[in-house]
Amino acid sequence: MTGADGQIGRTIVLLEDRHLGNTGQPGLDDVVLADARMMLGLDDTRVGVYGTGDSTDPRETRVLIESWSPRPRLLVFGANDHAAAVAEIAAFLGYRVTVCDARPTFTTPERFPSAHEVVVDWPHRYLAAAETDRRTVVCVMTHDPKFDVPLLVEALRRPFAYVGALGSRRTQAARVRDLREAGVPPAALARLRSPMGLDLGASTPQETAVSIAAELIAVRHGRSGRALSVIDGPIHSERHPSDAVPVP
């Protein structure tokens, strides 16, 4: 960093549960750390420019913010054409994609060239042993209660970024009934997004994948998913770290 007071080379390291170091300027640490947290998972480099908060003092502090983190995981359960389309667009969006299904005939790398991993296993068993975190996305495409229900019971126990399932409203009603009978509490059921995706009129696997991807982006940024032309307010949900920020 290059400081308003001429200091150069101060460093803060932000980890998932703590940070090390400081900027050397009272009040600046919290602002810089907030911007750094915003960038976690983006694998990006930006320069943050921060003012002093004093209208009579034009000096600025420039902070180079670099983010390194593993890609968030997107787990696709079900080996079908819709799963292949979701795997492709998810990889394009920067997720590390795993496709899992218990049927070896359909679950092959050749059918899912965009996936980073193709796993033959019972979905709930794979998920129970998988390495996941709060950024993980689960997309259930199987349309089969013997796979869906135990898998969703496992998924809804965890604080994932998104848990969704493909299917009609009739399928979803039956699924919710089965999940209640399996002991899933109402608060967990409320986190299930099904039918997955935004209301785009999608019909093909590729269109459905775009609908699901659009919902993932909206959920990630806390946005409504409505058309920008019919809403007011800023297009971007969060301040860019390169904007000048007064230090309290």
Side-chain angles (χ1 to χ4, degrees):
M1 61 171 277
T2 302
D5 57 1
Q7 296 185 56
I8 299 176
R10 291 272 188 168
T11 301
I12 294 181
V13 178
L14 175 64
L15 305 174
E16 186 173 343
D17 58 348
R18 66 189 188 281
H19 71 273
L20 307 172
N22 60 76
T23 64
Q25 297 184 40
L28 181 58
D29 286 4
D30 290 343
V31 182
V32 171
L33 288 169
D35 284 341
R37 288 189 182 93
M38 183 182 77
M39 288 178 57
L40 285 176
L42 297 182
D43 290 323
D44 198 2
T45 299
R46 301 176 185 176
V47 174
V49 182
Y50 304 89
T52 63
D54 183 347
S55 60
T56 65
D57 186 350
R59 293 180 300 170
E60 297 176 338
T61 295
R62 295 178 177 270
V63 180
L64 177 67
I65 305 176
E66 296 181 284
S67 174
W68 297 282
S69 65
R71 292 183 177 191
R73 296 195 69 184
L74 189 142
L75 309 179
V76 182
F77 294 98
N80 52 43
D81 290 342
H82 284 84
V86 168
E88 183 174 1
I89 199 167
F92 175 75
L93 290 175
Y95 288 94
R96 180 171 181 81
V97 180
T98 298
V99 174
C100 175
D101 194 294
R103 302 167 297 173
T105 301
F106 302 104
T107 315
T108 65
E110 292 74 22
R111 293 195 67 219
F112 300 96
S114 299
H116 299 88
E117 299 171 297
V118 177
V119 178
V120 178
D121 199 351
W122 277 79
H124 72 282
R125 183 168 61 192
Y126 173 79
L127 182 59
E131 184 176 337
T132 59
D133 59 27
R134 290 178 177 271
R135 300 180 301 153
T136 299
V137 170
V138 170
C139 295
V140 180
M141 326 288 288
T142 47
H143 280 97
D144 188 334
K146 72 174 178 290
F147 293 122
D148 291 1
V149 173
L151 170 60
L152 288 169
V153 168
E154 180 65 33
L156 292 171
R157 290 173 178 165
R158 306 191 188 193
F160 290 148
Y162 179 101
V163 178
L166 202 63
S168 67
R169 298 195 185 280
R170 182 177 179 180
T171 298
Q172 171 62 2
R175 182 184 289 136
V176 168
R177 181 196 64 225
D178 292 342
L179 290 170
R180 284 179 180 145
E181 291 176 356
V184 178
L189 278 174
R191 294 176 43 236
L192 175 60
R193 292 180 175 265
S194 182
M196 282 192 290
L198 299 185
D199 181 17
L200 306 182
S203 58
T204 67
Q206 291 75 24
E207 289 177 343
T208 301
V210 170
S211 170
I212 293 169
E215 185 177 34
L216 289 177
I217 295 170
V219 168
R220 180 174 183 177
H221 296 289
R223 302 305 289 257
S224 68
R226 299 175 63 204
L228 290 173
S229 60
V230 300
I231 62 173
D232 296 322
I235 294 175
H236 302 291
S237 59
E238 298 190 36
R239 169 174 51 81
H240 193 289
S242 63
D243 295 339
V245 179
V247 178

